[in-house]
Amino acid sequence: MTIQVIPEQTVPIPTDFTPDKVDDMLTRAKVAFNTASFLIANGLDADPRKDPEGTKAAAREAKRQFTGSPIAQRRPMNSKTALWLNDLFHRYNNEVVDDTVKLKNYVVTRLVEESDGEKAADRLRALEDLGKMSNIGLFSDKVEISVSNKTTDELKDELAKKLARYMGPVEEVKETKKKKKVEVIDLNKELGPDE
């Protein structure tokens, strides 16, 4: 297999050849899948029928990595394993989304059916639950938070009042600043004259 490489004139030549560290398994799998896709696009034969044992081994390794098995290999990831792992991620994400959508549709359908029920309490409860749904939001609980900024003097007054309630009247002690006496040292007198 020959891959023709044409360097781009606008991309500078790298000076640091230390490999990038990819600690996240999902990112590592995406990088491996992109590499495998590039190799397949440039002539790599990845037909699973030509190597059934290698394909089974790649599928087992992909399942181990996907589930986080302690016996899963950290590196290297071959192209077949990368393709299997990408397929698992793709199916898993789609299945979760599909199941969530199906469940939401089922709940909405049942609530609509219950809103036509015989008992008034059941009808009212079903309508209330329909109104609470996030995309409708008729009865959503809102929490309002108000922030009031107070000056330092206001906070001191409030603190003094609270302390007075528990400890008696509060006396304010004013801070007095003393002037520091600066001592001047004559170096000629202490060390002697320069020679």
Side-chain angles (χ1 to χ4, degrees), residues 15-31:
T15 56
D16 183 14
F17 293 104
T18 56
D20 294 334
K21 290 185 179 180
V22 182
D23 295 328
D24 181 12
M25 197 263 294
L26 177 61
T27 307
R28 194 173 77 246
K30 285 181 181 179
V31 170

Side-chain angles (χ1 to χ4, degrees), residues 158-169:
E158 281 185 30
L159 183 59
K161 288 177 186 175
K162 287 185 180 184
L163 286 173
R165 206 174 336 162
Y166 295 109
M167 301 175 62

